[in-house]
Amino acid sequence: MSLRVSVRLLKLMRPYWATMLLGALLSLITLLANIGLLAVSGWFIASMALAGLSGAAINYFTPAAIIRALALVRTVGRYAERLISHNATLALLSELRGWFYRRLEPLAPARLQQFHSGDLFSRIRSDIDTLDHFYLRFLTPFSVALLALLLVFVILSSYQSTLAWLALLLWLSVGLLLPWWLYRSAQPLADAQLKQAATLRRQLLEGVQGMAELMLFNRSAAQREAIELSSARLNRLQLKQASLSAWSQTALLLAANLAVWLALWLLIPLQQSGAISAAEFPMLLLLLLASFEAVMPLPLAVQALGQTLAAAKRLFEIVDAQPQVVEGEVTEGSLSDSPRLEVERLSMSYEPEAKAALDALSFSLQRGESLVLLGESGAGKSSLINVLLRFWEYQGGSVTLDGVELRRLPAEQVRGCFSVVSQRSHLFNASVRQNLLLANPEASEAQLIEVCQQAQIDEVIQALPEGYDTLLGEAAVRLSGGEVRRLVIARALLKPAPFLILDEPTEGLDSETERRLWRDLLPLFKERGVILITHRLLALD
């Protein structure tokens, strides 16, 4: 499973492979420059000290130039590596969000009912952010360590093969065995931590969105306690993971110091016998010590891999779902500006064995005609909206626009024919103007004011601190329930769609406002085909 998820992540990164390879190459150059700087500096300082003791002449210009060059390469390389790799990562995360949303949209609402909005928000933001670990903290450190340690192994072998093989054994211990143990230990923690973080975000979002209801029913204290409990659980998981990280770093330091002791044990006899010079002795010690810089990130890289794979699994869990509605392919010249809607013996159920929500429903509608749907809750009124907007598939009968079956048309083209005021319409935490322009980005100021006057909301908007540029706040807290309803109606009127669907449009309005609203709306019905869903008989009058 983990291998399959890793392969899928690599495929998603394919457009950025060149930039990522450049970032990894710069990281390798920087690491080698740092190792070389420490080794050459050790040799140079020892050589200068020995020359001072013996009075022998020494060419210090060349090694000094090499040291300066390595220091410059390390500094510039580090900056360039950060610039290139982080730029590639940010571009990748941006593309992944678009990729995820493009696959998320066809699943709504049928395949997303079991997911809370806070959970979806956590996946599209936090989980996708976590995927940057796969390149920055896993792929790059492991590939760079492999190449750098191979070079160090060759250098050590040319001086003392036993030391080289012992160093290789220590590198494998802390670079492979330790990360493997850490991954096995941290993977359950990573899964639990990711789920607990998602739960905490969902609770925080619920608390913000439902603040008014929580205070009204005196449940804010209970919500706060639930958030504190989730936060404490998350802290405990993070503490366990931090403990694993601390043990891994301790093991790395012990391995590095053990390598130095082994090097002393093997190199001192070589230096005494003259096999290596006195200046080469500290050079090899420092080369070996600096080589552990390559394996230092590996345990943490594997720990980050656990979080990354857990996040990727949560994303793939959604994008692998099959849409409830299959997109059609008929586009060119398929619909006129005033299409005719024909519904013949329409049948639809939400589950294969469930009771039919719609059973043999038939009607026709075109511009200038109105249809009123009456019925108790559960009679199928909202189910008709789900079918017409291609949110749910229908199993029997036929639904056509200008004689073209809905199944053959792209969902976006079908939805463009309907402007809807539903019972759960959403207003974003943006200005009044921005919320209105979602329906028609090309609308003029005069059109905005006109539809708001028709919806009996213009006076309310003009009284706001910044008029149409006033921010509504989270869940449109600046407006009452009835004002939100009227603003949603204005947005629906602004959309140039041939059909208008009004689902309980005057819910929450007082009788006088309702009468004035219908007075201004009824003349507009001549310009569109209207489906009115209501249980308020005033609308029928």
Side-chain angles (χ1 to χ4, degrees):
M1 175 64 73
S2 297
L3 179 60
R4 187 161 59 248
V5 172
S6 300
V7 171
R8 292 186 68 176
L9 286 176
L10 286 173
K11 290 180 179 179
L12 289 174
M13 296 176 178
R14 186 177 299 167
Y16 302 93
W17 279 3
T19 308
M20 290 180 172
L21 284 174
L22 177 59
L25 178 61
L26 290 171
S27 180
L28 175 62
I29 293 173
T30 303
L31 176 62
L32 292 177
N34 194 51
I35 295 174
L37 179 62
L38 196 60
V40 174
S41 297
W43 176 88
F44 183 56
I45 293 172
S47 297
M48 292 294 291
L50 291 171
L53 290 174
S54 63
I58 184 173
N59 176 19
Y60 62 87
F61 292 103
T62 300
I66 292 175
I67 290 173
R68 290 191 180 93
L70 290 173
L72 185 62
V73 169
R74 184 183 63 172
T75 303
V76 175
R78 182 68 66 192
Y79 175 80
E81 182 267 330
R82 291 288 188 269
L83 182 65
I84 297 296
S85 60
H86 284 73
N87 181 62
T89 301
L90 292 175
L92 174 63
L93 294 182
S94 177
E95 174 61 27
L96 286 176
R97 283 198 174 87
W99 163 83
F100 182 70
Y101 185 81
R102 288 191 296 270
R103 282 155 179 79
L104 185 70
E105 188 178 8
L107 301 176
R111 300 302 189 196
L112 301 180
Q113 288 185 319
Q114 70 270 32
F115 298 103
H116 190 278
S117 60
D119 184 31
L120 292 175
F121 173 74
S122 179
R123 297 184 194 228
I124 201 170
R125 193 196 67 83
S126 180
D127 287 357
I128 289 180
D129 280 347
T130 304
L131 297 186
D132 69 352
H133 298 336
F134 190 65
Y135 165 66
L136 287 177
R137 299 179 62 181
F138 178 72
L139 288 180
T140 297
F142 267 95
S143 57
V144 167
L146 177 63
L147 296 174
L149 294 179
L150 180 61
L151 179 59
V152 175
F153 178 81
V154 172
I155 295 173
L156 290 177
S157 297
S158 64
Y159 285 93
Q160 226 287 343
S161 59
T162 303
L163 178 60
W165 286 104
L166 288 174
L168 178 62
L169 181 62
L170 290 172
W171 293 334
L172 291 176
S173 298
V174 296
L176 288 181
L177 295 180
L178 178 62
W180 176 81
W181 170 80
L182 191 61
Y183 176 77
R184 294 294 298 272
S185 304
Q187 182 61 39
L189 286 176
D191 290 338
Q193 184 178 336
L194 206 63
K195 292 177 182 177
Q196 189 60 45
T199 299
L200 179 59
R201 293 189 195 95
R202 176 176 57 79
Q203 291 174 330
L204 289 170
L205 188 61
E206 287 175 345
V208 172
Q209 291 180 336
M211 183 64 69
E213 289 81 0
L214 290 171
M215 296 181 68
L216 178 64
F217 293 100
N218 196 28
R219 298 295 298 170
S220 56
Q223 181 70 8
R224 183 175 64 252
E225 290 176 3
I227 291 174
E228 290 175 351
L229 181 61
S230 292
S231 179
R233 289 173 179 169
L234 182 60
N235 287 337
R236 286 195 294 270
L237 290 171
Q238 290 174 335
L239 184 61
K240 291 180 180 178
Q241 201 163 39
S243 177
L244 287 176
S245 300
W247 279 110
S248 67
Q249 294 301 304
T250 301
L252 278 167
L253 292 174
L254 286 174
N257 284 281
L258 178 59
V260 172
W261 280 102
L262 290 173
L264 289 171
W265 175 57
L266 292 171
L267 293 178
I268 288 176
L270 290 180
Q271 195 274 325
Q272 290 176 340
S273 65
I276 61 173
S277 66
E280 290 173 331
F281 181 80
M283 179 192 74
L284 293 174
L285 281 177
L286 292 175
L287 175 67
L288 181 60
L289 183 62
S291 69
F292 279 85
E293 182 183 343
V295 295
M296 281 288 181
L298 300 189
L300 294 180
V302 171
Q303 195 171 8
L305 178 64
Q307 296 177 343
T308 302
L309 295 181
K313 290 174 186 175
R314 282 167 46 85
L315 294 175
F316 293 146
E317 175 189 359
I318 291 181
V319 301
D320 288 343
Q322 292 298 317
Q324 217 274 340
V325 174
V326 180
E327 287 279 344
E329 299 178 354
V330 177
T331 55
E332 190 65 31
S334 53
L335 299 178
S336 64
D337 293 335
S338 300
R340 182 175 183 82
L341 175 64
E342 294 278 356
V343 178
E344 296 182 4
R345 301 191 60 78
L346 174 63
S347 298
M348 176 264 198
S349 61
Y350 290 100
E351 297 293 340
E353 303 299 328
K355 179 183 177 181
L358 297 171
D359 188 11
L361 174 66
S362 299
F363 67 87
S364 64
L365 190 67
Q366 63 183 5
R367 192 183 293 270
E369 297 179 345
S370 298
L371 173 70
V372 178
L373 298 180
L374 299 173
E376 298 178 353
S377 177
K381 303 184 298 295
S382 298
S383 298
L384 177 61
I385 297 178
N386 286 334
V387 169
L388 294 180
L389 296 183
R390 300 296 288 144
F391 290 150
W392 288 85
E393 190 60 83
Y394 52 98
Q395 291 78 39
S398 173
V399 184
T400 62
L401 284 171
D402 275 349
V404 183
E405 192 73 28
L406 253 59
R407 292 190 182 98
R408 299 180 59 205
L409 293 167
E412 278 301 311
Q413 188 176 15
V414 173
R415 290 169 194 149
C417 295
F418 297 93
S419 186
V420 183
V421 176
S422 69
Q423 295 187 40
R424 294 186 178 182
S425 297
H426 182 75
L427 291 176
F428 290 91
N429 186 6
S431 69
V432 175
R433 185 188 310 278
Q434 290 170 321
N435 274 281
L436 289 170
L437 290 177
L438 289 173
N440 183 6
E442 306 299 325
S444 64
E445 182 77 13
Q447 288 175 302
L448 295 182
I449 295 175
E450 181 183 7
V451 295
C452 288
Q453 289 174 343
Q454 293 165 347
Q456 306 297 313
I457 191 64
D458 179 63
E459 292 183 4
V460 175
I461 297 174
Q462 298 290 2
L464 293 173
E466 297 179 48
Y468 281 80
D469 294 314
T470 302
L471 295 177
L472 294 178
E474 180 67 32
V477 293
R478 284 184 173 271
L479 303 178
S480 67
E483 291 166 348
V484 167
R485 200 71 176 155
R486 281 177 278 165
L487 184 59
V488 169
I489 293 174
R491 185 169 65 185
L493 295 175
L494 191 63
K495 182 178 179 179
F499 296 102
L500 178 64
I501 301 177
L502 303 174
D503 188 0
E504 302 290 1
T506 58
E507 189 75 26
L509 302 185
D510 60 84
S511 57
E512 179 58 32
T513 302
E514 184 179 7
R515 288 183 184 276
R516 287 189 282 110
L517 179 63
W518 283 122
R519 181 196 64 200
D520 289 345
L521 287 183
L522 288 175
L524 302 178
F525 286 5
K526 298 177 182 179
E527 303 173 6
R528 311 186 191 216
V530 178
I531 298 177
L532 172 62
I533 300 173
T534 185
H535 66 275
R536 298 166 71 92
L537 299 183
L538 178 61
L540 297 181
D541 295 337

